[in-house]
Amino acid sequence: MQRVAAEPLDILRTRTSAKWRSFPPDVLPLPVAEMDYPLAEPIAHALHAAVDRSDTGYSSGSRPVAEAFQGFAATRLGWDVDPARVTCTADVSLGNVEVLRRVTQPGDGVVITSPVYYPFFDLLPEAGCAVVDVPLLGGIDEGWSLDLDGIDAAFAAGARAMLLCNPHNPTGTVPDAPTLAALADIAARHDVTIVSDEVHGPLAQPATPYTPFLTVSDAAREHGVAVTAATKAFNLAGLKTALIVTASDRGDRVRAAMPYEVEWRMSQFGAIATIAAFREGGPWLDGVLASLDDNRRLLADLIADELPGVGYRMPDASYLAWLDLSALGWGDDPAAYALEHARVALANGPRFGAIAGRGHARLNFACTPEVLAEAVTRLGDARVSPVE
């Protein structure tokens, strides 16, 4: 497999995105979920061609993107998507909020599963909902899983929806089909909605492919809405485009109830880039997955050598490592210590859940092996004795 090589620091520091403008130049920035790989050539070509023809007007709607995704989903994800059941919008977070607004009433509880992508804690209030946290079961040693009994109890107590992270960020866990089918049965029993954020799905490793929620059962298709994008897999976060996908009349009514402007928030360049990614980006994505596989394994070796006692479980999807740094004695928020004393920026663990994230941090390993090694070496050099 031909790997895609990440770009060197001198090139990366010319970028103006958040990852490269949020920290001083002596800091290795590994918190933001942006990859350091060069843009896939088919995407770059499509964007350059759009500029050459001054194609900078409004996007032409969901259908072209939906049709490109239909082919990608069928060949890579085993997912039969009907383009007529897709509404595009600006990004996955916005899509999650708009779906939740349609399926809940103000003040309704919505289940999330900490440690979880920290904007979820803000998206629910934005949608007018209350956070109902049902933490994942397990941990780094044994792996994580959904607490199905806890989720069932939360719905029985009145929660009206769940915002599912599939695959899970930050743990990199990929729920299997039986687990998702059981979750769908619980949703059907309580007549609630599962909003499945699947933006990391195409970044699942081949040995642990992700299962799109809408594929697992009739109950999932009836009670589920999927929100996804090319943005994580192809590093297009700044080119605002996402897809809201349904597979039932019930789901279609959710999309139909959305304001007209939801679809018009999609970016023209985002649509162009997303179509190119879904149609022609497969070989590049395969190379990125191979490079990420190398790096997740390298990280395990580096931690064993430089940071003994730090907990790390290789993620099955994406490029984010969830680290238990408690043994280092760096407090509840070890990312703050790492930034000050190691000049390595990590994502702050407690933001992913005040209890589940305590003593943890998230590290982005979509970088060169040299940057990854330097980051772990710096962290190792900053070790202190554990707090008594």
Side-chain angles (χ1 to χ4, degrees), residues 54-81:
S54 300
D55 194 2
T56 56
Y58 294 107
S59 65
S60 58
S62 299
R63 190 73 186 203
V65 176
E67 290 178 348
F69 182 63
Q70 178 187 36
F72 180 86
T75 57
R76 291 193 69 101
L77 309 177
W79 185 3
D80 182 14
V81 173

Side-chain angles (χ1 to χ4, degrees), residues 360-371:
H360 290 66
R362 193 189 71 180
L363 179 150
N364 176 347
F365 57 84
C367 56
T368 66
E370 293 78 15
V371 166

